């Protein structure tokens, strides 16, 4: 992948000639002199490009003028050629012959569906190259394996861990592009390597020196079937980016559009094919001989096959262009996210021509500051977009490293390089959100069950010892709020658990961890206090509130209910956090209401009704208590209307809720609260039923969409249960009021007989109280939808 494609300064006037004829940067003394189909003796090698070097001190180069080619009397510095490494690099770059006539077709085949047996058969006749490469790889790996074996024998594995990790990184870098990418993949596998190795390998870079323009231009002509000058009016004198699989030029079409021209490195497919064949053989030996001796349960051959399929897919630039367009189609509604357009007439399997977008790499703090752009702001956009990718469609950009993300002056975040994409299966998307809920609840047993769902381990594995290990790490971490958690710290801590137990992390999940860790790392360079989860949680919360999937409804229940009690604070937090997400649509809350009235939500509905009844009761009791206190004094109020446990909290929640409702339903009867017709405003059963009916009518006036929901059986049961619970609560209040009144009267009589104080004013004597507790019948609906009661 091209890590430097997004550089802001990519195309200066000194890099390419302008229309006025300014010269380009000096090149070695070579020129493109011939492009033709050529078949080597013996029938090996397909239609291949042949390029001849020339020793002249002049070269023909593209310029932005009416001339397609001009001669430049520039004597180039050719000292680069007169050393061993320079000559070897030149020879390697010029060698365009494939090992097998069917190799181009085979590489396409492997990118679509990797078949290790098919690859083995295709390379059967190329044993000199295969065994030569095997000798080179085994010689280099042998020393490292010997060092590891020595550490194990001497008990110095942990002591030398960091040193060995650095040695492995250097070793993989020297073995070429395939092994560099293997190292990068391993850096996201906490189930395979300890933390030291993960951190060191994450620094692997796949940048390689560029190959000569003559090779690149010849390959473009071979792939697209036309001379370069017929397709591009201008092209940069040197690549603006070079990586392990290819390099990029900036060019201009004759129609005026500026484009990025991505050209694949010659013969890279052959090299990868051989390396994947050898790697699979090596891992097969490890699985059959080494792993059993070390009691390692993770088989490595399937991991190699998965990685090989992904790597071969990156070699198909047609597939990459389609990936880009699919990404754009799925996430075009994400604000401030942009992708380059593809110019298909100038693209093929090994050449990809894309829209050129000017931008600044997020790691270039100086230029970001100069442009007045905030790294954190763009990372926030990237995190929300990444969550949409992971949890909405499951199709996500699996390599969002700094070179693949650009910030534009207009405020857009540009995604580049779509060679490495991945899919999170549907079951995993829901399981990830469920896992977050279980983490917030500190339900470690449930987290262990999530690992079965996520396919982290076989269901035959006993997770009993894993839950305490999770608790040992997360109990300390979760003492902070979710918004204060550092994502990398969580990944590192979880990685230690994954490494110690028989986990096998799916490839898509490892890529997810790497994507989010990279984004948080970018933000931390600008803000050391940045917390990724603080930005991610609002989107998670909005999904829990608005997604009708049964899996997420179950997670919603788990989050807001504990030990049979409704956790109002959790619901408030969900609503508050959801409102911070750009994707939160309040109208989707109707889906939550629809679910609440469904048969599957009986448990939650019962707790919601109990909570509403508690709030209405607390509010009404406070009104009655205030009336009694005004007329009889505070002691009488405490006796007649005693304060119940948690009543104050319920009244506070009711005030907040009623304030929100009142903002929408002003001057609608019944919304201001329950005003009873009994003594001191005490509610009667009839008042309760009238109040519920008035609330229903007020809600329908403001939200007509409630009408069909209110006809659902669940709605009928909700109203009936609310009537019943309120009647029971007010009946209990009435009984306590009567007993309290009797005690007050007895106290007054005793005081009078004993010659105490004078009797209270006549106005303070309560009228007789008759308490009637009828059987509350379910409300019925007339044809017009009005509520009636028996």
């Amino acid at each position: 992948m091209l890590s430097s494609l997004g550089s802001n300064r990519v195309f200066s006037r000194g890099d390419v000639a302008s229309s006025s004829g300014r010269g380009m940067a000096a090149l070695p003394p070579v020129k493109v002199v011939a492009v033709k189909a050529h078949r080597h003796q013996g029938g090996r090698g397909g239609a291949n490009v042949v390029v001849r070097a020339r020793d002249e001190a002049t070269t023909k180069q593209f310029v932005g003028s009416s001339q397609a080619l001009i001669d430049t009397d520039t004597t180039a510095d050719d000292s680069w050629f007169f050393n061993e490494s320079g000559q070897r690099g030149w020879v390697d770059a010029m060698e365009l012959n494939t090992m097998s006539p069917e190799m181009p077709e085979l590489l396409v085949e492997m990118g679509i569906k990797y078949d290790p047996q098919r690859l083995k058969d295709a390379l059967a006749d190329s044993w000199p190259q295969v065994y030569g490469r095997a000798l080179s790889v085994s010689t280099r790996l042998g020393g490292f394996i010997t060092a590891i074996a020595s550490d194990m024998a001497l008990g110095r594995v942990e002591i030398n861990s960091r040193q060995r990790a650095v040695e492995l990184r250097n070793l993989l870098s020297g073995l070429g592009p395939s092994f560099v990418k293997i190292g990068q993949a391993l850096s996201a596998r906490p189930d395979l390597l300890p933390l030291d190795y993960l951190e060191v390998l994450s620094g692997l870079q796949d940048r390689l020196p560029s190959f000569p323009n003559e090779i690149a231009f010849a390959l473009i002509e071979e792939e697209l079937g036309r001379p370069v000058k017929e397709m591009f009016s201008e092209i940069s004198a040197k690549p603006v980016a070079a990586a392990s699989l290819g390099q990029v030029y900036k060019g201009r079409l004759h129609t005026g559009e500026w484009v990025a021209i991505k050209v694949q490195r010659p013969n890279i497919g052959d090299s990868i094919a051989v390396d994947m064949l050898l790697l699979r053989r090596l891992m097969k030996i490890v699985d059959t001989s080494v792993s059993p001796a070390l009691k390692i349960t993770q088989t490595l051959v399937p991991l190699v096959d998965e990685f090989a399929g992904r790597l071969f897919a990156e070699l198909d630039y047609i597939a990459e262009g389609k990936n880009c367009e699919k990404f754009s189609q799925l996430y075009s509604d994400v604000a401030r996210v942009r992708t380059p357009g593809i110019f298909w007439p100038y693209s093929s399997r090994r050449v990809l021509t894309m829209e050129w977008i000017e931008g600044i790499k997020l790691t270039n703090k100086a230029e970001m500051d100069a442009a007045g752009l905030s790294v954190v702001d763009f990372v926030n956009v990237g995190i929300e977009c990444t969550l949409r990718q992971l949890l909405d469609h499951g199709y996500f950009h699996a390599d969002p490293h700094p070179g693949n993300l650009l910030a534009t002056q207009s405020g857009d975040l540009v995604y580049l390089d779509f060679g490495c994409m991945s899919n999170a299966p549907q079951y995993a998307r829901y399981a990830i959100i469920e896992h977050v809920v279980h983490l917030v609840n500190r339900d470690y047993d449930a987290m262990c069950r999530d690992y079965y769902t996520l396919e982290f381990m076989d269901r035959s594995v006993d997770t009993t010892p894993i839950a305490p290990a999770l608790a040992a790490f997360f109990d300390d971490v979760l003492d902070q709020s979710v918004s204060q958690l550092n994502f990398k710290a969580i990944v590192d801590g979880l990685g230690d658990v994954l490494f110690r137990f028989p986990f096998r992390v799916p490839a898509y999940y490892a890529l997810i961890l790497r994507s989010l860790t990279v984004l948080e790392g970018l933000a931390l360079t600008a803000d050391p206090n940045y917390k990724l989860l603080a930005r991610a949680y609002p989107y998670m919360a909005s999904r829990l509130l608005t997604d009708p999937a049964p899996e997420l409804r179950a997670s919603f229940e788990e989050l807001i209910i504990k030990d049979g009690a409704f956790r109002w604070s959790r619901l408030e937090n969900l609503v508050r956090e959801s409102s911070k997400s750009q994707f939160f649509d309040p109208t989707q809350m109707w889906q939550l209401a629809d679910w609440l009235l469904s048969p599957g939500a009986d448990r939650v509905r019962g707790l919601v009704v109990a909570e509403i009844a508690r709030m209405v009761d607390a509010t009404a009791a406070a009104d009655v208590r205030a009336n009694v206190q005004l007329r009889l004094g505070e002691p009488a109020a405490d006796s007649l209307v005693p304060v119940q446990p948690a009543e104050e909290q319920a009244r506070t929640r009711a005030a907040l809720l009623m304030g929100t409702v009142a903002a929408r339903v002003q001057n609608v009867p019944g919304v201001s609260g329950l005003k009873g017709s009994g003594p001191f405003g005490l509610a009667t059963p009839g008042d309760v039923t009238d109040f519920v009916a008035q609330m229903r009518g007020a809600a329908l006036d403001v939200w007509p969409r409630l009408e069909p929901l209110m006809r659902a059986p669940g709605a009928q049961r909700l109203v009936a249960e609310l009537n019943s619970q309120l009647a029971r609560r007010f009946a209990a209040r009435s009984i306590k009021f009567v007993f309290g009144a009797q005690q007050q009267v007895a106290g007054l009589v005793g005081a009078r007989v004993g010659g105490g104080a004078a009797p209270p004013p006549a106005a303070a004597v309560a009228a007789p109280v008759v308490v009637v507790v009828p059987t509350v019948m379910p409300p019925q609906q007339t044809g017009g939808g009005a509520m009636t009661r028996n």
Side-chain angles (χ1 to χ4, degrees), residues 45 65 102 149 160 169 171 212 329 354 402 514 564 578 647 654-655 662 698 729 771:
S65 66
E102 59 180 349
N160 292 338
R169 181 189 63 193
L171 175 64
Q329 179 183 8
M354 302 163 284
R514 184 173 73 176
S578 295
E647 182 179 309
R729 283 180 173 275
V771 180

Side-chain angles (χ1 to χ4, degrees), residues 470-493:
L470 293 172
F473 171 70
F474 283 116
D475 275 347
D476 289 336
V477 173
L478 292 175
D479 285 340
Q480 309 172 65
S481 67
V482 173
S483 63
Q484 294 300 311
L485 297 180
N486 181 285
F487 184 74
K488 186 178 186 303
I490 291 179
V491 171
D492 290 345

Side-chain angles (χ1 to χ4, degrees), residues 537-547 574 578 581 583-584:
Y537 191 67
Y539 178 79
M540 296 274 195
S542 69
R543 288 292 299 273
L544 284 170
L545 283 177
T546 61
D547 195 313
L574 279 177
S578 295
S581 172
F583 302 111
F584 178 60

Side-chain angles (χ1 to χ4, degrees), residues 27-32 51-55 80-96 209-216 265-266:
L27 291 173
V30 294
K31 74 170 185 177
V32 178
V51 180
R52 291 191 291 108
R54 64 176 276 189
D55 56 2
W80 63 274
F81 186 81
F82 296 100
N83 62 75
E84 183 179 357
S85 61
Q87 292 184 24
R88 185 185 301 112
W90 176 256
V91 172
D92 289 344
M94 294 293 288
E95 181 55 62
L96 298 177
S210 60
F211 52 93
N213 286 351
E214 287 70 23
I215 302 290
R265 191 173 292 273

Side-chain angles (χ1 to χ4, degrees), residues 314 316 549 634 761:
E314 288 190 53
D316 188 349
E634 186 173 347

Side-chain angles (χ1 to χ4, degrees), residues 634-707:
E634 186 173 347
D638 292 340
S639 176
L640 295 176
V641 193
V643 178
Q644 300 299 309
E647 182 179 309
E648 184 60 31
Q649 295 93 318
R651 191 174 67 83
T652 301
R653 288 196 296 270
L656 290 173
L657 179 62
M658 296 303 290
T660 302
V661 174
R664 294 290 305 275
V665 290
Q666 296 173 359
N667 302 322
V668 178
V671 174
S672 59
L674 197 161
K675 304 298 183 183
S677 58
F680 300 98
L682 195 67
T684 66
D687 295 331
V688 171
T689 305
D690 289 341
F691 173 77
V692 173
Q694 289 173 349
M695 287 295 293
R696 177 188 181 280
L700 288 176
D701 285 343
V702 179
W703 298 297
R705 289 179 60 179
L706 275 176
E707 180 65 40

Side-chain angles (χ1 to χ4, degrees), residues 38 133 154 185 208 264 308 495 602 619 679 764:
H38 176 77
R133 178 62 169 166
L154 298 175
L208 291 178
Q264 192 169 113
D602 287 342
T619 302

